[in-house]
Amino acid sequence: EADIYQTPRYLVIGTGKKITLECSQTMGHDKMYWYQQDPGMELHLIHYSYGVNSTEKGDLSSESTVSRIRTEHFPLTLESARPSHTSQYLCASSEYRSGAGGYTFGSGTRLTVV
Amino acid sequence: GIQVEQSPPDLILQEGANSTLRCNFSDSVNNLQWFHQNPWGQLINLFYIPSGTKQNGRLSATTVATERYSLLYISSSQTTDSGVYFCAVERSGGGADGLTFGKGTHLIIQP
């Protein structure tokens, strides 16, 4: 049973549109993350959050933005989608205490910008 | 940042064979996980194993933190084991820096 939920699962959208990818978790985890993955490649961290009102950029530069108004919710927004944004986006969460446990990933959103 | 190297990059086996996947990392870690990514892109957590040995059915994993490597063993492979296996680590002392992933091992199990 998934404890972290992402919607939509698949999205095809035109260039220039604004989109928001949703991520919610029911585990009460403080730390949440967004990763980007091109097909067959490794995952790269693009955003993370320590908790409410905390957001940081990850290792891979991204034109997307995130917000963390509630502990359980960590949406990602693209103001103007471009074909270069076509990728899979995976959300994850973990407990704050270092070494307390592993990361749990959502099922991902596969985004195609045409 | 921390470096994660996985080997082999590709592996093709017959059903029933055993395999060993390796993950080397360049710094001390407080978190190491093995994931299986299925053809639909979902990441399935196999093991949380920053040190020691764990077993779950046909899969087992060992991490030797002092020597900075981890091994994933798959016994009696089945076609459903096909996919990409990722090792990911979190560096010790980091706050919420996130997991760093290796490039993965692409495993194909042939019937």
Side-chain angles (χ1 to χ4, degrees), chain A residues 38-59:
Chain A
D38 291 331
M41 307 295 285
E42 71 262 47
L43 283 73
H44 293 284
L45 181 67
I46 52 174
H47 298 283
Y48 61 95
S49 168
Y50 290 89
V52 171
N53 294 326
S54 155
T55 61
E56 303 286 344
K57 290 189 179 296
D59 302 322

Side-chain angles (χ1 to χ4, degrees), chain B:
Chain B
I2 193 167
Q3 306 299 313
V4 182
E5 294 184 359
Q6 291 186 242
S7 60
D10 301 283
L11 187 58
I12 301 174
L13 298 172
Q14 294 297 121
E15 201 167 21
N18 301 328
S19 59
T20 301
L21 281 56
R22 187 177 179 101
C23 172
N24 294 331
F25 44 96
S26 62
D27 205 344
S28 299
V29 299
N30 60 20
N31 183 6
L32 187 147
Q33 289 181 254
W34 283 97
F35 295 93
H36 175 216
Q37 190 166 42
N38 63 25
W40 296 272
Q42 292 180 293
L43 269 181
I44 309 300
N45 181 38
L46 299 176
F47 294 104
Y48 166 74
I49 187 166
S51 63
T53 297
K54 291 185 178 180
Q55 180 157 6
N56 183 5
R58 297 182 295 105
L59 273 61
S60 63
T62 295
T63 297
V64 184
T66 53
E67 297 186 24
R68 298 182 183 169
Y69 74 88
S70 183
L71 302 173
L72 177 69
Y73 306 96
I74 305 173
S75 65
S76 305
S77 299
Q78 300 175 359
T79 55
T80 52
D81 294 331
S82 297
V84 185
Y85 289 80
F86 287 104
C87 171
V89 303
E90 184 173 27
R91 187 171 49 89
S92 294
D97 292 332
L99 288 173
T100 298
F101 282 75
K103 294 184 183 297
T105 292
H106 296 245
L107 177 64
I108 296 174
I109 305 297
Q110 296 177 333

Side-chain angles (χ1 to χ4, degrees), chain A residues 11-79:
Chain A
L11 179 62
V12 180
I13 200 162
T15 298
K17 299 293 187 183
K18 177 180 179 179
I19 60 171
T20 297
L21 309 184
E22 301 289 348
C23 176
S24 295
Q25 51 100 1
T26 59
M27 297 170 283
H29 286 169
D30 288 314
K31 302 195 299 188
M32 295 189 74
Y33 311 83
W34 277 101
Y35 284 82
Q36 184 175 344
Q37 183 189 28
D38 291 331
M41 307 295 285
E42 71 262 47
L43 283 73
H44 293 284
L45 181 67
I46 52 174
H47 298 283
Y48 61 95
S49 168
Y50 290 89
V52 171
N53 294 326
S54 155
T55 61
E56 303 286 344
K57 290 189 179 296
D59 302 322
L60 182 68
S61 176
S62 173
E63 293 169 345
S64 59
T65 58
V66 293
S67 62
R68 190 89 183 275
I69 298 173
R70 303 198 314 267
T71 298
E72 63 272 19
H73 194 214
F74 192 40
L76 181 146
T77 298
L78 277 166
E79 291 292 334

